[in-house]
Amino acid sequence: MTDTRDLIERNAVFAADAYNPDLRLSPSGNMMVIGCVDPRVDPAHVLGLNNGEAAVIRNVGGRVTPATLRTMAMLAKVGQANAESRPPGDWNLVILHHTDCGMTDLAAFPDLLAEYFEIPTDKLDAKSVSDPIGSVRVDVDVVLAHIRAAAYWVSGLVYDVDTGRVETVVAPTLLPVE
């Protein structure tokens, strides 16, 4: 079992061997990834991201909910306040869903899911809760409907927990501008 003592020891190794004091607040890869809290699907690991390369938001199912949109809006303000640390180039948002997601177990709790998505229960079918390919398409559509920005791309990927491979479901799509 991992405990706090283990974490402190691992951190000491990180601080000695991998800590980079030159990292900036803005991701070096102009990237944000939204993924699930499932411990099998840590976006940094499955996508091979380096520390500081991407901002990562993790929630149940890796879903783009109203709360996720609010978090993204707050992070955009932080980014604006630290614009000097942002590397040039387009911004990339990657939505990462996965197979065998625990979100499918929540289908039996429509009231809980409706509250999570902030929608009435009769609208839940449109969220494609039990289908990662459908759900990543739904969430890309949510981003396309709610975010307006120049030089900002969104894509949708699905990670297969049985193979370790990622499939592109929605190719990088440029967001509309106002």
Side-chain angles (χ1 to χ4, degrees):
M1 180 173 96
T2 305
D3 62 20
T4 304
R5 185 179 59 249
D6 295 322
L7 299 178
I8 299 301
E9 290 171 6
R10 292 177 193 180
N11 174 257
V13 172
F14 167 80
D17 299 338
Y19 171 69
N20 180 352
D22 298 324
L23 293 178
R24 310 284 299 231
L25 185 58
S26 294
S28 65
N30 283 346
M31 179 172 289
M32 178 180 291
V33 179
I34 300 172
C36 186
V37 296
D38 188 317
R40 301 171 295 172
V41 191
D42 184 325
H45 288 116
V46 302
L47 298 175
L49 296 169
N50 293 314
N51 195 25
E53 190 173 359
V56 178
I57 297 173
R58 294 179 76 178
N59 64 22
V60 176
R63 299 306 302 262
V64 178
T65 65
T68 309
L69 292 171
R70 290 189 293 270
T71 297
M72 291 173 67
M74 292 171 69
L75 291 174
K77 296 294 184 193
V78 171
Q80 290 169 358
N82 294 275
E84 76 285 348
S85 71
R86 182 176 179 256
D90 291 356
W91 187 260
N92 295 283
L93 172 63
V94 175
I95 300 170
L96 176 66
H97 292 187
H98 66 93
T99 59
D100 192 37
C101 185
M103 176 69 89
T104 62
D105 297 328
L106 297 175
F109 304 95
D111 292 337
L112 183 63
L113 283 174
E115 181 180 350
Y116 182 62
F117 288 111
E118 298 181 26
I119 60 173
T121 55
D122 64 347
K123 303 287 185 196
L124 279 174
D125 286 345
K127 292 297 179 183
S128 199
V129 171
S130 298
D131 171 21
I133 291 172
S135 66
V136 83
R137 285 186 177 126
V138 166
D139 284 358
V140 166
D141 287 345
V142 169
V143 169
L144 290 169
H146 288 91
I147 299 177
R148 299 286 178 266
Y152 194 114
W153 299 79
V154 61
S155 58
L157 308 177
V158 173
Y159 174 74
D160 187 325
V161 298
D162 292 324
T163 67
R165 303 293 303 222
V166 171
E167 173 187 353
T168 300
V169 174
V170 180
T173 304
L174 192 59
L175 292 184
V177 180
E178 292 298 330

